[in-house]
Amino acid sequence: YVKHTGLNDDLGVSVAEDNWAVSLVYLGYLIFAIPSTLLLRYVDTNIYFSVIMLAWGLINVSMGFIKTVPQLLALRFLLGMTIAGFFPGMITYLSQCYPVKQRTIRIAVFYAAGIISGAIGGILVSAQGQLMSIPPYVCACVFAIIGSFSATSFNEHGYHVAFFIIIAGVSFALMAILDTVSPVAVYVSGCFACAGKYSAYALLIAWLAKNLSGRIRRSLAVAFTVGLGQIGGAILPFIMNDKNEPNFRQIYITSAVVMAVIMFPTLLLRFISTNREKSTAINHTEVLEKANSVHDAQI
């Protein structure tokens, strides 16, 4: 982080401190995702998002005036705490603005816009020569939107999420295998890995926003899921080596394993959802049959 922002020239940040500067943002996000989102129950939406965006900007500007490493670490944690309520809050807000059938597409479009903005922001932070980072995010946007249309058309999210997780897992595995063989193959696999993981995440969030009733219940589920997703960002700096360059092969392997692990709860959630739908359908049928029986008896 400090290498790309130029802070290392002023602060003399060590590798460990640099790792913490990255990790603390995700830790702040993880801790405050649920509390921040619950504030939507008590604070007007306009005020809520305005305060978040204002604080977000002020903290980023304050980064230019820090003098010590503790100040850097404190601001990084505050940044994570501040932005923690934005994404889950927006998902909750969008789920209230659109009917159930439109939520998946709306959320996917919003998420795709975030992917593109993140790519552009990364280019601006990393200065020139980073244009090759754009195609993976473009692929992610295209896949996410196509996946959302497909999930909406078939009214099915679980298997769509699993499909994109498989794409991401296989792509990460190929990146690990081909790491020292073909840079081009690694790059192409990276495009599919990016597309798979972002599409799966967008559909998972939309799945929750679509199926959970009640504003508080939906907010808690989305905030918990989004917050839980920050664990990867919090531990990623510490699985790199202590040299200037990270061990990419280790990162690829770790990512592939994570994709394989999260496949099981995804399919379990799909199984539970299917059984619940069947149970609801059976109960509805029984109620109709009883009502028809009563009606026939009266006739």
Side-chain angles (χ1 to χ4, degrees), residues 101-135:
K101 292 183 178 180
Q102 296 184 18
R103 286 178 189 172
T104 298
I105 295 176
R106 302 294 182 178
I107 290 174
V109 170
F110 168 72
Y111 189 66
I115 295 172
I116 290 295
S117 65
I120 296 174
I123 293 173
L124 295 177
V125 170
S126 303
Q128 299 177 356
Q130 300 295 323
L131 294 179
M132 290 301 290
S133 66
I134 293 181

Side-chain angles (χ1 to χ4, degrees), residues 166-212:
I166 292 173
I167 290 179
V170 172
S171 299
F172 280 124
L174 289 174
M175 293 172 73
I177 295 171
L178 302 173
D179 184 35
T180 58
V181 178
S182 173
V184 175
V186 171
Y187 181 78
V188 173
S189 298
C191 290
F192 283 98
C194 192
K197 70 173 185 177
Y198 280 118
S199 300
Y201 190 68
L203 287 175
L204 175 61
I205 296 300
W207 191 12
L208 293 174
K210 178 181 178 182
N211 287 283
L212 292 177

Side-chain angles (χ1 to χ4, degrees), residues 1-294:
Y1 170 76
V2 296
K3 177 182 178 181
H4 293 300
T5 57
L7 289 173
N8 198 39
D9 297 334
D10 301 323
L11 302 179
V13 180
S14 66
V15 174
E17 290 168 341
D18 190 15
N19 290 340
W20 277 109
V22 176
S23 180
L24 283 173
V25 176
Y26 295 98
L27 286 175
Y29 201 128
L30 171 63
I31 295 171
F32 288 96
I34 292 178
S36 297
T37 306
L38 287 178
L39 286 176
L40 271 173
R41 177 179 172 85
Y42 308 102
V43 181
D44 183 79
T45 304
N46 295 330
I47 297 176
Y48 177 83
F49 289 114
S50 297
V51 170
I52 286 179
M53 299 303 292
L54 179 62
W56 191 344
L58 289 174
I59 291 175
N60 280 324
V61 171
S62 300
M63 293 286 183
F65 299 94
I66 57 177
K67 302 295 183 182
T68 64
V69 173
Q71 291 175 352
L72 169 65
L73 299 180
L75 283 177
R76 294 290 290 173
F77 182 79
L78 288 175
L79 179 62
M81 180 184 73
T82 301
I83 66 178
F86 178 74
F87 181 71
M90 280 298 300
I91 298 301
T92 302
Y93 177 68
L94 289 174
S95 67
Q96 296 170 356
C97 295
Y98 296 100
V100 174
K101 292 183 178 180
Q102 296 184 18
R103 286 178 189 172
T104 298
I105 295 176
R106 302 294 182 178
I107 290 174
V109 170
F110 168 72
Y111 189 66
I115 295 172
I116 290 295
S117 65
I120 296 174
I123 293 173
L124 295 177
V125 170
S126 303
Q128 299 177 356
Q130 300 295 323
L131 294 179
M132 290 301 290
S133 66
I134 293 181
Y137 292 101
V138 172
C139 290
C141 290
V142 173
F143 273 61
I145 293 176
I146 292 176
S148 68
F149 274 100
S150 177
T152 301
S153 299
F154 291 98
N155 193 27
E156 199 290 318
H157 288 67
Y159 293 132
H160 282 76
V161 174
F163 172 73
F164 284 116
I165 290 175
I166 292 173
I167 290 179
V170 172
S171 299
F172 280 124
L174 289 174
M175 293 172 73
I177 295 171
L178 302 173
D179 184 35
T180 58
V181 178
S182 173
V184 175
V186 171
Y187 181 78
V188 173
S189 298
C191 290
F192 283 98
C194 192
K197 70 173 185 177
Y198 280 118
S199 300
Y201 190 68
L203 287 175
L204 175 61
I205 296 300
W207 191 12
L208 293 174
K210 178 181 178 182
N211 287 283
L212 292 177
S213 59
R215 181 176 179 179
I216 300 301
R217 185 182 178 188
R218 188 185 307 122
S219 299
L220 285 173
V222 171
F224 175 78
T225 304
V226 174
L228 200 63
Q230 309 310 308
I231 294 177
I235 66 174
L236 179 61
F238 301 103
I239 67 174
M240 297 180 179
N241 56 28
D242 293 332
K243 301 177 182 179
N244 291 329
E245 295 298 329
N247 186 342
F248 287 110
R249 188 170 186 273
Q250 184 181 13
I251 295 173
Y252 301 151
I253 294 174
T254 303
S255 299
V257 171
V258 170
M259 292 298 107
V261 170
I262 64 176
M263 174 64 72
F264 294 102
T266 301
L267 294 176
L268 177 61
L269 185 61
R270 180 66 183 86
F271 177 75
I272 294 174
S273 177
T274 301
N275 285 344
R276 187 182 66 178
E277 292 172 357
K278 290 181 179 179
S279 177
T280 302
I282 292 174
N283 292 336
H284 181 68
T285 301
E286 291 177 350
V287 170
L288 289 178
E289 290 177 351
K290 290 181 180 179
N292 291 332
S293 299
V294 171

